Amino acid sequence: KNFVNRLLAYSMYETGDYPNGSIYINRFFNRAVLENTKIIASDFEYRGKLLSKTGKDSLAIIDLEQALKMDTSKVDLLSEMGAIYLKMKSYDNAINSYDRKLKATGKLNANDYFAKGRAYYFKKDFINADTCFGTVIKVQPALPIGYLWRAKTSVQLDPDSKLGLAK
């Protein structure tokens, strides 16, 4: 019977109804204890995603870490955690999340490099930011955002435009 709460929570997340999804996932977890329902990695994943979407980022990280611990194949959750940390302005943790994904998979996608570059940029590590944005350009040359952020980074590396890096 409790599986209906699970399914409703998952469905609500997928359709963007985060407040109601939160109600159902909390109901699921509360009843899981009472009814001895097996809790799976996806339950923690969805609760974490719902927590993030409803502004409870610190709690979201805990659940996403638990989901990853239960199912190590869910490495894409590291991108999700990186984005949450970036939103929280916890730049070192964001960078660490993307580094963990890179170590686990051997690759990052353009969005991951872009987010990691922004984390470096905001912590004023412009050399590493430049490297990340350069990789975004290499992986997705048609995306203007890579060029824009690399130019912004170049302005920081060459504030007097003596080297003309931003051009």
Side-chain angles (χ1 to χ4, degrees):
K1 296 172 183 147
N2 197 21
F3 73 93
V4 173
N5 288 315
R6 172 189 278 153
L7 295 177
L8 283 168
Y10 289 18
S11 296
M12 299 276 176
Y13 174 81
E14 295 299 337
T15 59
D17 188 354
Y18 309 125
N20 283 320
S22 295
I23 290 168
Y24 284 107
I25 200 71
N26 288 332
R27 188 176 295 163
F28 168 79
F29 271 91
N30 290 336
R31 288 188 181 168
V33 174
L34 297 173
E35 298 175 12
N36 202 23
T37 305
K38 181 175 167 107
I39 297 174
I40 59 176
S42 295
D43 299 330
F44 284 103
E45 174 184 353
Y46 274 91
R47 186 169 72 174
K49 289 177 175 183
L50 285 162
L51 284 164
S52 178
K53 293 292 187 182
T54 55
K56 298 175 180 105
D57 294 321
S58 297
L59 295 173
I61 291 290
I62 294 167
D63 275 358
L64 294 174
E65 283 285 3
Q66 181 62 34
L68 186 59
K69 183 178 172 186
M70 291 174 76
D71 183 352
T72 57
S73 71
K74 292 183 171 287
V75 290
D76 284 340
L77 292 179
L78 291 165
S79 295
E80 189 103 18
M81 286 186 270
I84 292 168
Y85 280 127
L86 190 60
K87 185 171 71 166
M88 294 169 60
K89 299 181 180 178
S90 182
Y91 304 124
D92 287 328
N93 285 325
I95 292 163
N96 181 52
S97 294
Y98 294 112
D99 287 345
R100 286 172 60 196
K101 182 178 180 185
L102 181 60
K103 184 178 179 187
T105 64
K107 62 183 174 163
L108 296 177
N109 62 36
N111 288 334
D112 293 336
Y113 277 112
F114 177 66
K116 186 177 176 184
R118 288 180 53 225
Y120 278 123
Y121 181 89
F122 292 130
K123 69 176 274 192
K124 301 190 183 321
D125 182 345
F126 300 117
I127 300 292
N128 281 315
D130 183 66
T131 301
C132 288
F133 296 133
T135 304
V136 171
I137 292 167
K138 190 184 310 176
V139 173
Q140 289 286 333
L143 279 180
I145 199 88
Y147 298 98
L148 175 68
W149 277 84
R150 193 164 199 198
K152 287 174 65 143
T153 303
S154 295
V155 167
Q156 298 301 318
L157 290 169
D158 182 22
D160 298 330
S161 278
K162 290 181 181 168
L163 302 174
L165 294 179
K167 288 184 183 182

